[in-house]
């Protein structure tokens, strides 16, 4: 009987975008990366598109795209981020699905996911259906085909959710073995109760639903999945393969499917090099032909269920108590000992109250201008996916009863979008209400309340805060959810005025303020004047700011004075007349050109009033950018001072060293600083200056000095090597370039520097395949190219 193996990866991160700016602001906990999406992409999502298979000498012998042989789902909100922030990885994932269609009898390996990972059994019927519809539409937009399966957040399931999946032509979903309640052979009468240890997971099951529809269920092998996620099975790809192969019944009566499902982040993020173990496992299974790799859709098409199953409703894969993790103090958290989760229930109840209040306003107001408000919500995913003028006009034409203010329509739609985003499951997953996942979902709640207050005169925030007082924090200083909201959510709250002030302050440092993007806002200057005098800068302007999401817009007059370092003072007005602005412009420019800074500040107060903005009002990333610019200039001044000492006293220090005289620490510090600056600069330049690197490293050895920031040097070196390999790829028989690059690697090894060569290895492998016969290359080119392969640890079999 035929044997099949399927490995499913659930690739997902919660949406991390600022609810107003719709970009991810810097997350210091993800250092050295900008944010957690970027870090996990580097550690997991991208490596799985080009995973290494090593030979016995730990040299790369093959590179494969794991996704093309897996079953997988990607969170729609994660793919939305990736499409913009890492289009190369995004394209590789989409291409892998296309490849899997060819490989698995016309069935793609990607399956859909409920849109923003909402726990469906805890959602109302309307939200369940919209989550499913949005997940399907998002999948079709990205993968250009209809999904056959759909991943339920945390595999949390109830009958109504399965009914809705079946209603929308989803053929199967994946569950944990403990979620099966009873099974029987189709057409048998008696049910057999099962549990985690007695269920045969090697076959699909048909779940007959009250409506008369049905859906197939795949219950993954829990023991093997546990081994992959927690018990070291990814330490050895061959061991992983054999564990899967050992999962078959040796005397089967029907085709068998041994399959596992885990978080996709297991392969590279949770387990370093886990993607390589996965690649080896997949390759080993394919080469030894003891069984066939497949995906769920292909197996289901070949072998329809012969058994049916009943489920435990309100169950999931990550909470032994069912779905209590997302509404109660059940103890599931994996966090700090002795911390409680008593905040979960009041948070859930508060958001349920808010959802219902928002729905009342939505129905009352939207019914006045929309043909079918809830159908409009379902179709709004089309606008979210493509915020173009054509898409927006089509949406308005399809759903509006009459011509209305566009911003009113889109405010209502955004209320509903944020009302669903606030139920993203990760908000309850851990054990502290002030965690970034929980404050993120509170941001969505805050945004929804702000938007609804712009539609009707209602203040839901007051009662929201009263209710959140019942959600206790584990941290005494924070007390409860209301205080967490005030401290971590309200500072992020944004309106057009704050965006306008951000633009005004940030424009001081932008070379072309006309093209300066402000996240998901568009700016247009009616007037923009910038004056500079040494470090001091003055900016005056009249600018229109428009939200690309709600289409709301306002015009502002502003003035900002920069006095050096981090000293910035700005003012903004939404109602300044043009003649008043013109008068202010003349007086302030005169004062600036005559260096009367005190008068400028006085004029700002006269024309704008006492309220002022400073650098602290900038959004987080721009604030960092400005501080970096300021710090960079100060550090260059420091470097110039130290370089003068280095150049002047170099002979003296040489004389001290040659005569075994002690070198003062001040000189050591100076020399180390200058040599490190030179080393960094040699890698930051467009082309690596290998001779310069050799000189610097020889001096570091000579003076017994150290490389200060090895992480930064490794990153820059990796980027520089990749640039050189790209030039090698584009050129013909230029062996001199390869020879020069090969001189760099002994220097890196001498200082135990381990740059990230991931992209360089991928490109070298591609060049190797392209030039397998080395046609047209000289013997010296071949020699140097093979040496480069040794340095990159790549050897094509």
């Amino acid at each position: 009987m035929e044997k099949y193996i399927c490995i499913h990866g659930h690739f997902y991160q919660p949406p991390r975008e600022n609810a107003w700016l719709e970009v991810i602001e810097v997350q210091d906990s993800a250092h050295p990366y900008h944010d957690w999406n970027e870090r996990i992409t580097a550690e997991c999502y991208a490596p799985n598109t080009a995973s290494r298979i090593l030979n016995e000498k730990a040299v790369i012998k093959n590179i494969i795209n794991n996704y093309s042989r897996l079953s997988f789902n990607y969170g729609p909100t994660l793919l939305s981020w990736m499409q913009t922030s890492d289009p190369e990885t995004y394209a590789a994932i989409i291409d892998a699905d296309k490849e899997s269609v060819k490989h698995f009898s016309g069935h793609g390996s990607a399956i859909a996911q409920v849109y923003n990972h909402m726990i469906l059994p805890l959602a109302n019927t309307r939200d369940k259906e919209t989550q499913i519809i949005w997940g399907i539409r998002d999948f079709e937009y990205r993968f250009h085909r209809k999904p056959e399966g759909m991943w339920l957040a945390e595999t949390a399931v109830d009958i109504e959710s399965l009914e809705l999946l079946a209603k929308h032509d989803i053929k199967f979903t994946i569950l944990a073995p403990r979620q099966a309640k009873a099974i029987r052979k189709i057409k048998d009468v008696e049910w057999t109760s099962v549990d985690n240890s007695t269920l045969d997971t090697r076959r699909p099951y048909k779940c007959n639903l009250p409506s008369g529809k049905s859906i197939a269920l795949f219950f993954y092998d829990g023991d093997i999945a546990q081994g992959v996620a927690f018990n070291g099975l990814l330490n050895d790809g061959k061991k992983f393969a054999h564990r899967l192969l050992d999962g078959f019944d040796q005397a089967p009566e029907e085709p068998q499917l041994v399959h596992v499902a885990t978080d996709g982040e297991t392969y590279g993020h949770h387990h370093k090099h886990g993607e390589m173990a996965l690649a080896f496992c997949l390759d080993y299974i394919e080469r030894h032909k003891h069984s066939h790799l497949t995906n769920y859709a292909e197996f289901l098409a070949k072998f329809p269920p012969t058994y049916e199953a009943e489920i435990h409703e309100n169950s999931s894969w990550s909470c032994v108590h069912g779905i209590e993790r997302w509404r109660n103090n059940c103890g599931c958290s994996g966090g700090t000992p002795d911390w409680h989760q008593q905040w979960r229930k009041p948070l859930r109840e508060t958001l349920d109250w808010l959802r219902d209040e928002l729905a009342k306003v939505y129905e009352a107001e939207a019914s006045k201008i929309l043909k079918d408000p809830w159908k409009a919500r379902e179709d709004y995913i089309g606008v979210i996916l493509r915020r173009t003028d054509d898409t927006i006009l089509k949406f308005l034409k399809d759903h509006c009863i009459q011509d209305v203010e566009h911003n009113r329509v889109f405010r209502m739609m955004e209320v509903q979008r944020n009302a669903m985003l606030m139920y993203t499951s990760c908000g309850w997953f851990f054990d502290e209400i002030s965690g970034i996942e929980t404050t993120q979902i509170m941001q969505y709640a805050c945004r929804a309340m702000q938007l609804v207050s712009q539609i009707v005169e209602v203040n839901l925030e007051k009662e929201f805060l009263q209710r959140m007082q019942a959600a206790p924090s584990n941290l005494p200083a924070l007390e409860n959810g209301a205080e967490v909201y005030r401290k971590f959510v309200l500072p992020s709250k944004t309106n057009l005025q704050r965006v306008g002030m951000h633009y005004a302050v940030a424009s001081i440092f932008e070379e072309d303020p006309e093209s300066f993007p402000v996240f998901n806002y568009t700016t247009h200057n009616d007037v923009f004047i910038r004056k500079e005098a040494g470090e001091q800068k003055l900016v005056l302007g009249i600018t229109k700011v428009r939200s690309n999401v709600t289409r709301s817009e306002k015009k502002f007059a502003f003035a900002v004075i920069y006095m050096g370092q981090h000293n910035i003072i700005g003012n903004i007005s939404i109602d300044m007349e043009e003649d008043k602005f013109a008068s202010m412009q003349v007086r302030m420019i005169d004062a600036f050109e005559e260096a009367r800074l005190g008068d400028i500040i006085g004029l700002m107060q006269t024309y704008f009033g006492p309220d002022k903005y400073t650098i602290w009002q900038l959004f987080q990333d721009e604030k960092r950018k400005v501080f970096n610019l300021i710090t960079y200039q100060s550090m260059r001044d420091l470097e110039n001072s130290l370089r003068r000492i280095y150049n002047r006293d170099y002979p003296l220090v040489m004389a001290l060293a040659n005569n075994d005289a002690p070198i003062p620490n001040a000189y050591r510090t100076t020399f180390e600083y200058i040599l490190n600056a030179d080393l960094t600069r040699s890698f930051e330049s467009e082309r690596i200056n290998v001779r310069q690197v050799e000189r610097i490293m020889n001096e570091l050895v000579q003076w017994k000095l150290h490389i200060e920031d090895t992480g930064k040097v490794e990153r820059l070196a990796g980027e520089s090597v990749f640039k050189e390999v790209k030039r090698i790829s584009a050129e013909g028989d230029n062996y001199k370039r390869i020879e020069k690059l090969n001189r760099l690697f002994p220097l890196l090894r001498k200082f135990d520097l381990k740059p990230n060569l991931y992209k360089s290895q991928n490109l070298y492998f591609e060049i190797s395949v392209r030039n397998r016969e080395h046609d047209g290359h000289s013997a010296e080119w071949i020699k140097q190219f093979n040496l480069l392969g040794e340095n990159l640890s790549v050897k094509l079999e």
Side-chain angles (χ1 to χ4, degrees), residues 9-12 44-46 48-49 67 72-79 82 89 93 110-113 138 143 265:
H10 164 52
F11 294 90
Y12 164 75
C44 173
Y45 305 143
N48 273 289
T49 68
Y67 298 107
F72 67 91
N73 71 281
Y74 255 92
T77 54
L78 175 58
L79 283 182
M82 192 181 292
T89 299
I93 292 166
I111 68 171
Q113 178 197 290
D138 186 276
F143 293 96
E265 291 75 18

Side-chain angles (χ1 to χ4, degrees), residues 694-760:
E694 288 173 333
R695 183 214 34 107
I696 294 165
M697 291 193 164
N698 285 335
E699 288 200 31
L700 287 170
V701 171
Q702 180 179 2
W703 309 118
K704 298 179 182 178
L705 303 176
H706 303 285
I707 295 175
E708 293 175 341
D709 190 344
T710 56
K712 182 178 181 180
V713 173
E714 287 173 340
R715 177 175 58 81
L716 293 172
E719 292 169 358
S720 295
V721 170
F722 180 57
K723 289 178 186 175
E724 292 300 314
V725 178
K726 281 202 292 187
R727 293 190 182 99
I728 292 166
S729 176
E731 292 176 349
D733 198 43
N734 184 356
Y735 74 87
K736 289 285 189 183
R737 182 178 301 285
I738 312 177
E739 183 182 48
K740 185 173 76 171
L741 180 56
N742 280 325
R743 283 165 47 198
L744 178 67
F745 291 93
L747 299 172
L748 298 175
R749 289 192 286 268
K750 186 173 185 178
F751 279 82
D752 196 30
L753 293 171
K754 297 180 176 66
N756 186 341
L757 300 174
Y758 169 76
K759 288 186 176 180
S760 298

Side-chain angles (χ1 to χ4, degrees), residues 565-584:
Q565 292 290 318
H566 61 283
N567 300 307
I568 301 172
I569 297 175
N571 290 93
I572 192 167
S573 170
I574 60 173
D575 54 7
M576 184 179 292
E577 301 86 354
E578 289 188 15
D579 57 343
K580 185 177 179 181
F581 179 86
S583 169
M584 176 194 71

Side-chain angles (χ1 to χ4, degrees), residues 274-294:
E275 82 286 352
M276 292 170 62
L278 175 60
F280 188 97
C281 171
L282 294 168
D283 180 68
Y284 183 90
I285 290 168
E286 281 198 318
R287 283 189 295 108
H288 286 76
K289 303 186 185 304
H290 298 306
S291 63
H292 308 284
L293 285 178
T294 189

Side-chain angles (χ1 to χ4, degrees), residues 473-645:
S473 169
N474 288 285
L475 301 171
L478 293 176
E479 296 184 25
N480 55 53
E483 187 61 29
V484 170
Y485 181 87
R486 292 188 185 97
K487 185 168 184 178
F488 297 114
V489 176
L490 286 180
S492 298
K493 192 173 182 179
T494 296
N495 54 26
L496 287 173
Q497 184 167 337
R498 185 177 177 195
V499 174
M501 194 62 235
H502 171 92
Y503 172 82
V505 173
S507 68
I508 287 177
F509 302 96
E510 293 296 326
E511 291 183 10
D512 184 7
E514 283 289 351
S515 62
F516 166 49
V518 188
F519 310 110
N520 60 330
Y521 294 85
T522 302
T523 58
H524 174 75
N525 290 327
D526 290 351
V527 179
F528 187 85
I529 300 158
R530 180 160 59 192
K531 294 288 184 178
E532 299 186 23
E535 279 192 336
Q536 296 163 359
K537 297 179 176 67
L538 173 68
V539 174
L540 304 168
I542 298 175
T543 298
K544 182 187 291 182
V545 178
R546 185 190 194 196
S547 166
N548 297 332
V549 176
T550 65
R551 305 316 239 201
S552 304
E553 60 183 37
K554 282 185 181 178
K555 187 179 285 189
F556 302 96
F558 63 85
V560 183
I561 180 73
Y562 174 61
M563 296 171 285
Q565 292 290 318
H566 61 283
N567 300 307
I568 301 172
I569 297 175
N571 290 93
I572 192 167
S573 170
I574 60 173
D575 54 7
M576 184 179 292
E577 301 86 354
E578 289 188 15
D579 57 343
K580 185 177 179 181
F581 179 86
S583 169
M584 176 194 71
Q585 174 185 326
V586 171
R587 296 180 68 186
M588 290 189 73
I589 289 175
D590 286 346
F592 183 79
E593 290 178 344
E594 295 172 11
R596 292 183 280 114
L597 295 184
D599 288 357
I600 293 174
I601 295 170
L603 287 167
M604 289 170 72
Q605 184 159 343
T606 299
Y607 282 93
F608 290 99
D611 292 337
K612 293 181 175 63
Y613 290 85
T614 69
I615 194 171
W616 307 109
Q617 271 73 46
L618 285 172
F619 299 123
Q620 191 68 13
D621 278 38
E622 192 68 23
K623 193 188 301 180
R624 290 285 177 92
K625 180 180 174 182
V626 171
F627 275 127
N628 287 340
L629 284 170
I630 295 167
T631 305
Y632 175 77
Q633 186 55 52
S634 296
M635 294 303 287
R636 287 302 299 267
D637 292 343
L638 173 63
E639 182 186 327
N640 290 336
S641 298
L642 294 177
R643 191 172 295 280
R644 285 193 293 272
I645 298 170

